[in-house]
């Protein structure tokens, strides 16, 4: 457990700018999103608020991508100069530390953002705690797990980005062919 916490602290110290960016964008999204529920008399204001909310949502996901990629690539599995080979890291502890990092700096802020939006809508977040946790679990399974997997098998951020773009192109091509 001590080794897991040491890796977690090291990653937190090393990647604090990415953590800060990710958390700030997530909370900006939480404060901007409820504006979509309001009635605007000017259609341009409504469109601007929708664009801002969409951009913040996109930036939030990109921030998570950047954070996961940087953390996983810090102890890369690809190549012949891995830090964990020369140090007494057990792969299970390294994995646990990376998962703890994702829970602490992506999962918890996301949970708080969801709770803030529920409170803004007039609902009690505690009354919806099981659904909030299920929402975080679903987001983790659909978004974070594939990102972790791709970051593990790619050597750097550029290759990860190219792999993600290739996956998106293939998915859009698959949808296009399916509609024909």
């Amino acid at each position: 457990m001590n080794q897991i916490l040491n890796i977690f602290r090291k990653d937190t110290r090393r990647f604090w700018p990415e953590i800060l960016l990710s958390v700030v964008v997530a909370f900006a999204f939480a404060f901007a999103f409820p504006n979509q529920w309001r009635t605007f008399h000017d259609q341009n204001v409504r469109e601007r608020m929708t664009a801002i909310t969409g951009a913040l949502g996109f930036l939030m996901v990109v921030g998570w991508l950047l954070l996961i990629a940087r953390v996983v690539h810090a102890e890369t599995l690809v190549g012949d100069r891995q830090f964990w080979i020369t140090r007494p890291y057990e792969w299970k502890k390294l994995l646990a530390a990376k998962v703890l990092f994702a829970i602490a700096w992506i999962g918890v802020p996301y949970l708080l953002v969801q709770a803030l939006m529920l409170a803004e809508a007039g609902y009690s977040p505690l009354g919806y705690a099981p659904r909030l946790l299920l929402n975080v679990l679903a987001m983790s399974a659909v978004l974070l797990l594939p990102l972790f997997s791709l970051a593990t098998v790619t050597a750097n951020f550029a290759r990860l980005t190219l792999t993600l773009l290739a996956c998106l192109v293939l998915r859009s091509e698959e949808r296009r062919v399916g509609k024909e």
Side-chain angles (χ1 to χ4, degrees), residues 33-168:
F33 192 80
N35 287 321
Q36 291 192 0
W37 305 331
R38 293 184 175 83
T39 304
F40 293 103
H41 298 293
D42 186 6
Q43 185 64 22
N44 291 332
V45 174
R46 179 167 183 76
E47 289 173 4
R48 238 178 288 133
M49 290 308 299
T50 302
I52 289 171
T53 304
L56 285 171
F58 176 76
L59 286 175
M60 185 169 58
V61 173
V62 168
W64 292 344
L65 166 67
L66 178 66
L67 192 58
I68 289 172
R70 298 269 296 148
V71 166
V72 171
H73 289 146
E75 276 91 25
T76 182
L77 297 175
V78 180
D80 60 352
R81 297 184 180 169
Q82 297 88 349
F83 175 76
W84 57 271
I85 288 178
T86 60
R87 300 284 186 204
Y89 279 8
E90 294 180 34
W91 70 269
K92 294 173 189 172
K93 291 183 180 180
L94 183 61
L95 176 64
K98 302 303 178 178
V99 169
L100 177 63
F101 185 90
I103 290 169
W105 300 119
I106 295 174
V108 170
Y110 182 73
L111 183 67
L112 292 174
V113 162
Q114 296 293 317
L116 279 172
M117 289 195 300
L118 272 175
E120 180 68 25
Y123 297 103
S124 170
L126 292 177
Y128 290 90
R131 292 183 183 150
L132 286 173
L133 292 173
L134 186 61
N135 188 356
V136 171
L137 183 64
M139 181 271 302
S140 298
V142 170
L143 187 66
L144 298 183
L145 185 61
L147 287 177
F148 259 105
S149 301
L150 285 175
T152 301
V153 297
T154 55
N156 55 34
F157 186 72
R159 289 187 181 175
L160 173 65
T161 305
L162 288 174
T163 304
L164 284 172
L165 288 175
C167 290
L168 290 174

